Amino acid sequence: MKLNNLFSAFLLLAAVSCGTPKQIPYFQGTENDTVAGEACETRITLQPDDKISIIVKSRDINLTNLFNLPYYTQRIGTTLEQSASYAQGVTAYLVNRDGDIDFPVIGTIHAAGLTRSELAETIKQELIRQNLVQDPVVSVDYVNLFVSVMGEVTHPGRFPIDHDVYTILDAISAAGDLTITGLRNNVRVLRTENGKKKIYTVNLNSAQETVSSPVYYLKQNDVVYVEPNKMKARQSTVNGNNVLSTSFWVSVASLAVTIILAVNQISFTKAAK
């Protein structure tokens, strides 16, 4: 029996069925204690259509209650005043198309382009300037700020932004990391800038390219999409059986092994005669 042909056939079968994944590790090209690259920290700033909660506190509770609008719904069979006793939380403020919010007593305050801390400081100084509250403590929190993660991740979905600095790594971690079939060198981020949709590409295999990317720091409403590799894309066809699919080539290799064995068996029989 021609063992060389048989051995070659098994090597072919192994090659098509057990390919070694490439470009899996993150942050390649760096050594321990080295700087991956320079990244200018970008904090979340408020945009039109964002919702925020604003709470004002001071030693005079009755005074600060003027600025904290309670949120409640009227229950069937009760008056509006009775429903107020069930109030929970405070009303969210909507940043309008002009980038403003309508704050009690003070009036219009421009919020777009400000961070949470900057808006809180603006309100605080205005309360003091108008002699409304002398010792205010103002806190601002996000209500509806999200990023979306789609594609080859463990848990796709929308994830709330809960701090001022939110990176693409935070979003991927919230989604349970990329699957083994996700392309790490071609992660895309869809962002709306000046009314236009723009797509950025991030190479997570490279530490320097990741950190220096303009979308390393995400903004609200960003969409992160992880593309599947070729193997996963092929599996999306009917039964995965097309000319480029792994299962197709496994079948071809199996047929080749069968033919080689049959040919060798015939040759061995003729030689024996």
Side-chain angles (χ1 to χ4, degrees):
M1 185 181 293
K2 297 180 180 180
L3 295 179
N4 289 337
N5 289 339
L6 181 60
F7 181 67
S8 298
F10 276 114
L11 285 180
L12 175 63
L13 178 62
V16 298
S17 62
C18 300
T20 302
K22 296 180 180 180
Q23 296 181 322
I24 297 301
Y26 297 121
F27 317 136
Q28 298 177 42
T30 58
E31 299 177 356
N32 291 335
D33 302 324
T34 60
V35 178
E38 297 294 334
C40 182
E41 184 177 274
T42 302
R43 291 178 172 269
I44 298 292
T45 56
L46 297 173
Q47 300 176 1
D49 296 327
D50 286 348
K51 288 184 178 180
I52 53 177
S53 68
I54 304 174
I55 298 177
V56 178
K57 294 183 179 180
S58 77
R59 287 176 294 183
D60 190 337
I61 298 178
N62 293 326
L63 181 61
T64 54
N65 281 342
L66 296 174
F67 307 100
N68 301 325
L69 303 181
Y71 176 80
Y72 58 88
T73 56
Q74 185 172 355
R75 297 191 174 190
I76 297 176
T78 64
T79 64
L80 189 61
E81 290 75 13
Q82 290 172 331
S83 296
S85 62
Y86 301 107
Q88 294 182 351
V90 294
T91 298
Y93 293 86
L94 175 67
V95 181
N96 64 25
R97 293 291 183 177
D98 296 324
D100 301 327
I101 61 171
D102 188 13
F103 198 71
V105 183
I106 293 179
T108 300
I109 297 177
H110 191 71
L114 300 180
T115 64
R116 288 192 300 178
S117 59
E118 289 171 343
L119 178 59
E121 183 64 22
T122 298
I123 295 173
K124 176 181 178 180
Q125 293 304 321
E126 193 64 21
L127 289 171
I128 295 174
R129 188 187 70 82
Q130 295 189 27
N131 199 30
L132 298 171
V133 183
Q134 293 305 311
D135 58 344
V137 176
V138 182
S139 60
V140 178
D141 287 307
Y142 305 132
V143 173
N144 73 332
L145 273 61
F146 295 89
V147 295
S148 299
V149 185
M150 305 168 56
E152 291 299 306
V153 292
T154 305
H155 305 292
R158 296 179 69 210
F159 302 95
I161 295 176
D162 53 5
H163 45 278
D164 295 328
V165 179
Y166 198 88
T167 71
I168 189 171
L169 302 180
D170 292 323
I172 290 174
S173 297
D177 200 2
L178 276 66
T179 64
I180 198 67
T181 55
L183 285 181
R184 285 146 174 76
N185 63 349
N186 194 34
V187 177
R188 298 172 186 174
V189 176
L190 175 65
R191 173 176 292 174
T192 301
E193 294 180 338
N194 300 320
K196 297 181 179 180
K197 301 293 184 181
K198 191 170 183 179
I199 297 177
Y200 296 87
T201 300
V202 183
N203 180 10
L204 296 178
N205 290 137
S206 169
Q208 183 175 4
E209 291 183 39
T210 299
V211 175
S212 61
S213 170
V215 290
Y216 175 69
Y217 293 102
L218 296 181
K219 297 181 179 180
Q220 59 269 52
N221 304 318
D222 281 353
V223 178
V224 180
Y225 172 67
V226 180
E227 185 180 356
N229 62 16
K230 292 182 179 180
M231 182 187 71
K232 183 61 178 289
R234 289 165 186 159
Q235 292 175 354
S236 65
T237 60
V238 179
N239 297 324
N241 291 323
N242 60 16
V243 177
L244 299 178
S245 69
T246 301
S247 60
F248 174 83
W249 288 109
V250 169
S251 299
V252 170
S254 299
L255 178 61
V257 171
T258 302
I259 294 174
I260 290 172
L261 288 175
V263 170
N264 281 317
Q265 183 62 36
I266 295 172
S267 299
F268 177 78
T269 302
K270 288 182 177 179
K273 292 180 178 180

